[in-house]
Amino acid sequence: MEKYSKQQKEIATMIDSEDFLDKWKDWNWQLKHSIRDIDTFEKLLGISFEPSEKEKLEETLEKFPLSITPYYLSLIDSDDFRNDPIFLQAFPSPEELTVSDEELEDPLSEDTDSPVEGITHRYPDRVLFHISNVCSMYCRHCTRKRKVGDIDCIPGKEKILKGIEYIRNTPQIRDVLLSGGDPLMLSDDYLDWILSEISSIPHVEVIRIGSRMPVVLPYRITDELVEVLKKHHPVWLNTHFNHPREVTFSSRQALQKLADGGIPLGNQTVLLAGVNDCQRIIKKLVHKLVQNRVRPYYLYQCDLSEGLSHFRTPIGKGIEIMENLIGHTSGFAVPTYVIDAPHGGGKIPVMPNYIISWSTNRVILRNYEGVITTYKEPESYKQIYCDRNCEKCDLQLKLDDATEYKGIGIAKLLSDHDDTTSLVPEDNARMERRA
């Protein structure tokens, strides 16, 4: 049976005095009554801001708009809202207008790495497909503030088909990530059409969807939506829980529907100052996630997007959190801590150091307790020279894909088939002097 908090009942009654039990769980009703101004926010939560503060907040909204679903608003502790993790993620702060020199409109160079509108092709075998500019809530830490909120739109079929055509004509793409905004803001029929088109491409092996709906609007996860997704397996879904308080009765129901539909679930958490920069909070979060069949996937260092300085933590805080997870809880409950490098460098894993030293035949390691141990390298190992001629390889590969693999980056330096011995930055002064 659905559970409603006292605050949910009060908010729903103030929004719509008719029977809220029939409407609260309607995701379209939630969207229609999203809170988009400070006066409504104050009224529904029974709080008030000083005139001077309100003036600064209004100024913030002129650049970065406000939108909160009634459901997510109902999770805010109105008695201590200024320290509340839900409030901090959903409500604007004048600090968003402070843009430091290193912060960028498009910090990950997604637009630069876009061969056609809507597609970001950064990694060799996968693309990000931007199919929505609309979200059910505007997260204050969003890395795509340049797109979401400023221009609310869902691309028409003509634009979507251009992206699909690029995927169809690029055979190395085996993995397509549908992103936005939020892809689940699309209607079931439109999403079904997009999934059908992508699924029909022979070289696409898996489709992923990135959505925060299970967190901020769990009622969007309907039985009908799950049936649509099930038609196009393998479909994976990554969501975005940042704090254990977001794992509510309603969100657990949404996750259960998805998991029962055979959809593998992952979670991407962003490390946010004042919200979850505590090892106890993150550990509680990952435990709640795995209880609900969600695999913690990434712990992100906050991006260098405009106006996010107040959310960013030192990388040392992330390392400290990882030290308190690895070895201290189940391995599958430990996310990978990553920095999404500026200018399109991609996700770089950052981990505590467990290798203390290394010689020709021994590796000195330490574990999570600080125990130092030795691993002896095998003396009998015979190096295999790899010329990337897979068809004549003696190893029992027998893979159905005999495409010759060519390493790039560090993998290229490690390979035997290429004579490259170093990677030199484009503007290397020493090389310019040689020239």
Side-chain angles (χ1 to χ4, degrees):
M1 181 179 177
E2 183 65 79
K3 299 177 181 178
Y4 298 98
S5 68
K6 178 182 177 183
Q7 186 155 284
Q8 285 177 337
K9 294 176 182 177
E10 291 175 350
I11 289 172
T13 303
M14 281 189 278
I15 292 175
D16 190 338
S17 59
E18 297 182 24
D19 186 8
F20 81 93
L21 290 173
D22 295 330
K23 299 182 178 181
W24 183 262
K25 292 191 291 181
D26 181 339
W27 69 282
N28 285 301
W29 182 92
Q30 289 273 338
L31 290 175
K32 180 181 177 182
H33 294 94
S34 290
I35 294 84
R36 297 177 181 271
D37 62 84
I38 297 172
D39 288 341
T40 305
F41 184 92
E42 290 178 308
K43 174 187 172 184
L44 294 178
L45 277 190
I47 63 175
S48 60
F49 299 101
E50 294 293 331
S52 58
E53 182 180 10
K54 197 169 181 178
E55 183 179 345
K56 292 180 181 178
L57 290 171
E58 295 286 4
E59 185 181 349
T60 306
L61 293 192
E62 290 179 9
K63 183 170 185 179
F64 299 123
L66 165 69
S67 182
I68 312 173
T69 60
Y71 162 79
Y72 199 68
L73 180 81
S74 74
L75 305 184
I76 296 174
D77 180 0
S78 56
D79 292 330
D80 188 23
F81 68 91
R82 293 190 185 276
N83 296 313
D84 186 89
I86 312 298
F87 172 84
L88 294 172
Q89 292 180 72
F91 195 75
S93 165
E95 291 182 281
E96 293 176 45
L97 297 179
T98 302
V99 179
S100 59
D101 292 340
E102 68 272 14
E103 292 177 342
L104 304 166
E105 185 180 20
D106 179 17
L108 308 181
S109 295
E110 292 179 322
D111 296 340
T112 307
D113 287 333
S114 179
V116 298
E117 187 176 0
I119 294 284
T120 297
H121 193 172
R122 172 164 300 140
Y123 302 102
D125 67 341
R126 53 208 184 275
V127 295
L128 182 146
F129 196 177
H130 193 102
I131 65 171
S132 169
N133 251 18
V134 187
C135 283
S136 59
M137 188 191 87
Y138 298 152
C139 301
R140 308 320 299 181
H141 57 278
C142 182
T143 195
R144 294 193 185 124
K145 283 189 172 185
R146 70 191 188 281
K147 291 181 178 287
V148 179
D150 292 339
I151 306 172
D152 277 353
C153 71
I154 291 176
K157 285 191 175 183
E158 185 177 345
K159 287 184 179 180
I160 295 293
L161 282 171
K162 289 181 180 178
I164 291 171
E165 193 63 22
Y166 177 82
I167 296 168
R168 196 183 307 277
N169 294 331
T170 314
Q172 65 263 39
I173 296 172
R174 47 163 290 279
D175 179 352
V176 177
L177 169 59
L178 303 182
S179 187
D182 198 310
L184 297 190
M185 287 292 284
L186 276 60
S187 69
D188 289 354
D189 289 342
Y190 197 26
L191 187 61
D192 189 19
W193 173 75
I194 294 173
L195 291 170
S196 297
E197 291 292 320
I198 297 173
S199 297
S200 70
I201 301 173
H203 53 264
V204 173
E205 299 173 3
V206 63
I207 300 172
R208 290 183 286 162
I209 297 174
S211 173
R212 210 179 182 204
M213 287 294 196
V215 185
V216 298
L217 185 52
Y219 311 121
R220 174 63 182 103
I221 312 302
T222 62
D223 294 335
E224 293 77 17
L225 173 64
V226 173
E227 288 302 314
V228 167
L229 300 180
K230 285 170 63 176
K231 288 167 55 180
H232 304 286
H233 278 320
V235 173
W236 295 56
L237 189 142
N238 278 329
T239 189
H240 180 30
F241 288 89
N242 284 332
H243 195 279
R245 277 195 32 220
E246 294 173 326
V247 186
T248 65
F249 178 83
S250 296
S251 67
R252 291 196 300 270
Q253 282 191 318
L255 295 172
Q256 180 179 344
K257 286 183 180 182
L258 291 165
D260 288 350
I263 299 162
L265 301 173
N267 186 72
Q268 303 184 155
T269 294
V270 178
L271 185 57
L272 300 170
V275 174
N276 58 12
D277 51 334
C278 165
Q279 56 266 29
R280 292 181 62 189
I281 288 175
I282 294 295
K283 184 183 284 188
K284 186 66 174 179
L285 173 61
V286 298
H287 287 173
K288 283 196 170 189
L289 289 171
V290 296
Q291 275 185 295
N292 289 279
R293 292 178 283 177
V294 181
R295 174 74 186 265
Y297 180 33
Y298 282 138
L299 174 63
Y300 276 102
Q301 180 69 11
C302 188
D303 288 333
L304 294 170
S305 292
E306 290 182 322
L308 300 191
S309 291
H310 62 294
F311 275 132
R312 291 197 287 122
T313 68
I315 292 171
K317 173 55 69 173
I319 295 292
E320 178 188 359
I321 289 172
M322 295 304 293
E323 286 277 20
N324 282 270
L325 291 178
I326 298 171
H328 296 272
T329 192
S330 313
F332 62 81
V334 179
T336 302
Y337 178 38
V338 295
I339 299 171
D340 214 339
H343 307 295
K347 299 173 186 67
I348 300 173
V350 184
M351 294 285 286
N353 293 322
Y354 292 99
I355 294 181
I356 294 178
S357 193
W358 204 344
S359 70
T360 55
N361 62 357
R362 290 179 187 273
V363 181
I364 310 301
L365 306 162
R366 63 95 174 177
N367 77 346
Y368 73 100
E369 301 167 307
V371 172
I372 297 176
T373 187
T374 302
Y375 178 85
K376 191 174 186 303
E377 300 276 39
E379 296 178 0
S380 59
Y381 180 70
K382 295 180 180 179
Q383 177 67 38
I384 298 173
Y385 176 81
C386 182
D387 59 4
R388 294 299 193 272
N389 188 352
C390 297
E391 292 182 359
K392 295 183 179 180
C393 183
D394 292 332
L395 294 175
Q396 296 298 306
L397 295 177
K398 298 182 180 179
L399 304 177
D400 55 5
D401 179 12
T403 304
E404 185 176 339
Y405 169 75
K406 297 291 185 183
I408 61 173
I410 304 303
K412 186 176 184 178
L413 298 182
L414 291 171
S415 68
D416 296 319
H417 79 286
D418 195 289
D419 294 332
T420 303
T421 57
S422 61
L423 301 175
V424 182
E426 183 179 349
D427 298 324
N428 183 279
R430 180 168 55 90
M431 292 301 168
E432 288 181 359
R433 286 195 298 271
R434 287 183 181 182

